[in-house]
Amino acid sequence: MDISIVGTGYVGLPAGAGLASKGNHNVTCVDIDEEKVEKINNGECPIYEEDLPELLEKMVEDGKLSATTNTSDAVHNSEITFLAVGTPMQEDGSINLDYIKQAAEDIGEGLRDKEEYHVVVVKSTVVPGTTENEVIPRIEEKSGKKAGEDFGVCMNPEFLREGTALNDFLNPDRIVIGELDEKSGSKIEEMYSAFDVPKIRTSLQAAELIKYASNSLLATKISFINEIGNLCKELNIDVYEVADGVGLDHRINRDFLDSGAGFGGSCFPKDVRALASFMEEKNLDPKILNDTIQVNEEQKTKLVEQLQDHYPDLSGKTIAVLGLAFKPGTDDIRQSPAIDIISELKYLGAEVKAYDPKAIENMKQKHPEIQYTSNYEEALKDADAALIVTDWKEFNQISREDLQEMNKALILEGRRMEYKIDKENRKGVTWP
Ligand code: NAD
């Protein structure tokens, strides 16, 4: 099938490359960012994601994938269009639909002179009702066509994780297809025929809510284990032993019970907040969601509080911050705990030396004032302490020799590490 994808970011690009390879479809990626489009057409991957650069290069070479800035043309020349633009958070926590609205209008323009049946699929995470109340009316107005008659509409949420985005897209647990009508849903189910996984057909609104409920439950699991972890710290218990014991219960499962310095990223913080804000608009009190957010906010700077147990006055102290991305395997720093930790350290007068294998350029935009190093050894040298905020595998190679280069051999772990250094030199945020 010929597919266009409007919005070529962390979701749109892996989905595009994935559909071109696994589904054997012809994909046109659309973005307003000219530099991104040019890179893709040269076979270069504009984001850091495992295995994506190789597949993207191959798909471009094989003529299965190309990119453009022209939405109208891409829509006109395809039979299915995915809408995968960003849905960031506004200051008050609610969802910002500006990109969605604009992209819906652009898609409508592309459909105006098109005779053949076309299905528009919302892939961005949007609060229930958005597809029906915001996307469809805009497409109808710009195209002069009627949804459910002249064109089809689906809502197909994406569950991939950054860092393993391509693999997750290619091997999902399930595919959720919210449909305006049966014809639209069947077309998208057929498009996914190469994906041998359960496919759930729902209403548009149920599909929209499935995404928020999934992300909110996962985020709640993390805040829950962090709360238990804070108790473990008091009691000198290892929270990982507790998580293992709890997680072996198949009703609970061990995933997302890794306690640490709080969750970040472009999804959990914004999605939990957006759902809470949406519930408040409906005069409902999102108690669990609000607590999930609150526990996470407090968790993010726990490492700095614990550092102050060693240095009540941090002014003039040099602190190495290892790991800036919100998790390993990505260059994405959106809502990363490292942002708040660096702000707090600077506020308390510390000098910060930071290192990350992939995310330094992105963090420079947020924190241009600190020193960045080109490896962890340099960051550790002469530091009064180090904080590990992202568990990149390479930090497991930190050795006793590296610690000897520090002013004080002290590592506070915001993520559980597997390196072989002495117990007295390492402390966990929620474990001894
Ligand atoms: P992103 O910011 O990485 O990418 C969005 C892209 O859309 C950008 O490249 C931007 O230039 C482009 N864009 C904006 N307006 C446009 C327009 N009118 N026409 C064409 N392109 C336009 O965002 P993302 O992380 O890929 O997220 C996209 C959506 O998917 C969001 O709703 C997000 O919540 C959801 N989601 C994200 C993830 C994730 O891990 N990042 C996972 C699942 C779902």
Side-chain angles (χ1 to χ4, degrees):
M1 292 181 182
D2 291 322
I3 297 171
S4 49
I5 300 182
V6 180
T8 311
Y10 286 90
V11 165
L13 195 54
L19 288 170
S21 63
K22 185 157 177 170
N24 199 25
H25 301 300
N26 298 310
V27 175
T28 307
C29 291
V30 185
D31 209 284
I32 45 175
D33 182 339
E34 286 178 14
E35 205 183 313
K36 212 177 243 188
V37 165
E38 199 185 319
K39 272 194 170 169
I40 294 169
N41 284 330
N42 289 332
E44 286 170 48
C45 189
I47 52 170
Y48 177 76
E49 268 298 334
E50 196 176 75
D51 299 333
L52 187 58
E54 297 78 8
L55 185 67
L56 181 71
E57 192 182 1
K58 181 163 184 336
M59 290 301 107
V60 172
E61 241 175 56
D62 293 355
K64 304 284 304 168
L65 187 146
S66 62
T68 176
T69 52
N70 190 327
T71 311
S72 242
D73 276 1
V75 171
H76 194 84
N77 296 322
S78 55
E79 53 204 290
I80 293 171
T81 299
F82 279 93
L83 219 169
V85 297
T87 47
M89 186 166 66
Q90 315 207 78
E91 291 248 316
D92 65 358
S94 65
I95 187 169
N96 175 346
L97 290 174
D98 290 352
Y99 299 108
I100 289 279
K101 290 176 184 170
Q102 182 59 53
E105 290 179 11
D106 298 345
I107 291 169
E109 297 275 355
L111 285 179
R112 198 184 316 138
D113 301 323
K114 201 175 171 210
E115 310 237 311
E116 302 83 14
Y117 181 68
H118 195 100
V119 182
V120 178
V121 187
V122 176
K123 201 169 231 334
S124 301
T125 303
V126 291
V127 292
T130 305
T131 305
E132 266 166 285
N133 304 328
E134 303 292 346
V135 175
I136 291 177
R138 283 178 170 77
I139 299 177
E140 286 183 331
E141 198 198 322
K142 290 284 171 186
S143 65
K145 295 187 190 305
K146 184 95 190 88
E149 290 175 18
D150 307 319
F151 67 95
V153 180
C154 284
M155 199 286 147
N156 168 225
E158 182 52 57
F159 301 100
L160 61 75
R161 295 160 300 173
E162 278 180 35
T164 49
L166 179 63
N167 192 41
D168 286 354
F169 180 81
L170 294 173
N171 303 293
D173 290 330
R174 76 305 204 186
I175 291 174
V176 175
I177 302 172
E179 60 196 34
L180 178 65
D181 57 347
E182 205 185 327
K183 188 177 172 190
S184 311
S186 297
K187 177 93 178 162
I188 300 311
E189 187 163 354
E190 187 195 337
M191 186 208 72
Y192 277 121
S193 58
F195 292 69
D196 186 18
V197 295
K199 296 179 185 99
I200 300 165
R201 305 263 297 257
T202 69
S203 67
L204 293 171
Q205 287 213 46
E208 290 167 331
L209 187 54
I210 286 170
K211 173 66 188 173
Y212 279 101
S214 300
N215 267 6
S216 298
L217 185 54
L218 293 173
T220 302
K221 261 185 113 171
I222 299 175
S223 277
F224 178 82
I225 199 66
N226 281 338
E227 191 158 284
I228 297 294
N230 294 335
L231 174 63
C232 287
K233 186 80 184 169
E234 279 303 307
L235 301 178
N236 213 24
I237 293 174
D238 185 344
V239 64
Y240 278 70
E241 286 182 3
V242 176
D244 290 346
V246 169
L248 276 170
D249 186 327
H250 74 277
R251 295 168 303 177
I252 297 172
N253 141 348
R254 177 65 179 77
D255 292 348
F256 286 78
L257 290 179
D258 289 329
S259 181
F263 58 77
S266 68
C267 291
F268 284 180
K270 95 169 161 66
D271 291 349
V272 180
R273 278 194 172 85
L275 185 57
S277 163
F278 181 71
M279 284 181 69
E280 278 159 8
E281 274 172 35
K282 306 272 168 228
N283 291 322
L284 295 167
D285 183 10
K287 295 189 193 75
I288 295 177
L289 300 179
N290 282 340
D291 282 349
T292 295
I293 295 163
Q294 187 59 31
V295 169
N296 195 55
E297 281 309 304
E298 289 170 18
Q299 202 68 18
K300 286 202 249 176
T301 48
K302 278 247 147 54
L303 273 185
V304 180
E305 285 167 30
Q306 292 172 4
L307 181 62
Q308 287 178 292
D309 293 341
H310 300 269
Y311 298 112
D313 180 6
L314 276 168
S315 59
K317 297 286 178 234
T318 301
I319 309 300
V321 175
L322 302 184
L324 305 171
F326 80 92
K327 68 173 189 180
T330 179
D331 58 355
D332 196 344
I333 60 152
R334 288 178 282 185
Q335 305 287 321
S336 171
I339 298 173
D340 292 19
I341 287 172
I342 293 170
S343 299
E344 190 68 9
L345 288 170
K346 290 299 296 176
Y347 174 75
L348 293 167
E351 295 296 319
V352 176
K353 288 208 277 181
Y355 167 72
D356 186 284
K358 297 287 171 198
I360 288 180
E361 287 314 309
N362 285 337
M363 190 58 91
K364 277 183 183 166
Q365 322 263 326
K366 280 268 172 203
H367 280 298
E369 77 284 12
I370 62 168
Q371 186 191 337
Y372 293 91
T373 64
S374 45
N375 50 51
Y376 68 75
E377 290 93 336
E378 253 182 77
L380 290 177
K381 192 167 168 23
D382 300 328
D384 295 299
L387 308 183
I388 296 189
V389 187
T390 317
D391 46 342
W392 285 97
K393 277 206 179 93
E394 65 175 72
F395 299 152
N396 282 322
Q397 285 153 24
I398 294 174
S399 63
R400 287 193 186 125
E401 289 71 42
D402 293 321
L403 296 195
Q404 279 164 11
E405 298 293 315
M406 298 177 73
N407 264 349
K408 182 177 163 96
L410 174 64
I411 300 193
L412 302 191
E413 299 170 14
R415 310 287 174 199
R416 178 71 147 222
M417 301 306 300
E418 288 161 14
Y419 41 41
K420 307 231 168 348
I421 59 172
D422 297 330
K423 198 75 206 93
E424 67 261 28
N425 300 128
R426 58 185 290 189
K427 307 268 174 266
V429 65
T430 49
W431 54 96

